[in-house]
Amino acid sequence: MSVPPPAVPKPSAAVRVVSLWYFVVTIASLGLFAWVPFVHAAARLGRTALYVRAAVFAAVAVLIGVLMAVTPTDTTGKAVGTTGGLLSLAGVMLAIAAVVAGCVQQGKLRRRILGLAPAERPGENPALATALAARERRAEARKLVASDPLIARDLRIGRPDLARDYDDGGLVDLNNAPAGVIASVCGLDAATAEAVVDIRTTVGGFAAVDDVSTVVPYAAMDRVRDRAIVLPA
């Protein structure tokens, strides 16, 4: 079972206010310095990918600066001509996009830095996280089977072939599930699963998961032990 991460103290109101500088810098600079908070967040969170994001916003800032520099203007600074208008409009739209995109992303980063949102674990495999969570649910379901088999039966633990609301993490009841379900969940071939059902019918049910080891290949028993339970028939 995984160990929960230690609790992170919630930041004070003053710290939260000061941390709003991300948005102040981005908005006040019209997106030109939107890259600065990303550099800060990269250093605080230890995520090198954020330096790449900072570089993207820095490139956008350079492009905005170029558009401003090449836009023809009159003595009052107003863009002149069709070309000047288009260049000016492009610069304004790009600045707005940088401000909006920057603030949205910086808001998420700010929450992670303050401990108000779960931190991302770089390189974590979603499939692995799902498998580990399912294992924990199986462990919890097994405890329920051992402590209160009647409730376990009501919740239909180990019966993925029946409609139910309780998620047992992928268990199968060797004493009650059909052969096809046993084969699917435990990774057995159809003949072996049928042999399991034949034996349970003959003996009136299994007392323990290892009772099926007489017909289940040794190599398959680890998965059977991981996925199987026995409830009263």
Side-chain angles (χ1 to χ4, degrees):
M1 183 177 295
S2 62
V3 179
V8 178
K10 297 301 180 183
S12 65
V15 172
R16 294 191 189 193
V17 171
V18 171
S19 68
L20 292 174
W21 72 266
Y22 274 24
F23 309 120
V24 174
V25 168
T26 299
I27 296 172
S29 68
L30 299 179
L32 293 176
F33 292 102
W35 57 272
V36 175
F38 288 101
V39 173
H40 177 266
R44 289 292 302 274
L45 298 175
R47 293 175 52 193
T48 55
L50 292 177
Y51 286 113
V52 176
R53 202 175 301 181
V56 171
F57 276 90
V60 171
V62 171
L63 181 56
I64 293 173
V66 170
L67 290 173
M68 294 171 59
V70 300
T71 299
T73 59
D74 56 21
T75 55
T76 63
K78 183 178 179 180
V80 295
T82 302
T83 301
L86 291 176
L87 291 174
S88 177
L89 178 61
V92 170
M93 297 302 294
L94 196 57
I96 293 175
V99 170
V100 173
C103 287
V104 170
Q105 296 179 47
Q106 291 161 11
K108 297 177 181 178
L109 294 174
R110 171 179 170 271
R111 288 179 59 80
R112 291 195 184 102
I113 291 173
L114 293 177
L116 300 177
E120 292 182 354
R121 288 181 283 183
E124 183 181 67
N125 189 319
L128 175 60
T130 299
L132 292 174
R135 177 185 288 177
E136 291 187 0
R137 290 195 296 273
R138 290 196 295 275
E140 292 173 358
R142 280 198 175 90
K143 291 180 182 178
L144 190 55
V145 168
S147 63
D148 200 328
L150 291 179
I151 289 183
R153 180 186 288 275
D154 289 341
L155 292 174
R156 297 176 174 176
I157 292 177
R159 296 302 305 274
D161 54 309
L162 302 177
R164 57 182 182 168
D165 296 321
Y166 183 81
D167 184 358
D168 60 20
L171 293 175
V172 64
D173 180 7
L174 297 179
N175 274 343
N176 298 283
V181 175
I182 294 174
S184 175
V185 175
C186 294
L188 303 175
D189 59 70
T192 301
E194 289 290 351
V196 169
V197 172
D198 289 343
I199 292 177
R200 99 180 168 200
T201 302
T202 301
V203 302
F206 303 111
V209 170
D210 278 4
D211 290 348
V212 302
S213 61
T214 56
V215 293
V216 173
Y218 177 79
M221 277 304 300
D222 282 343
R223 180 171 175 85
V224 172
R225 293 187 183 101
D226 180 57
R227 297 303 181 95
I229 59 169
V230 288
L231 280 168

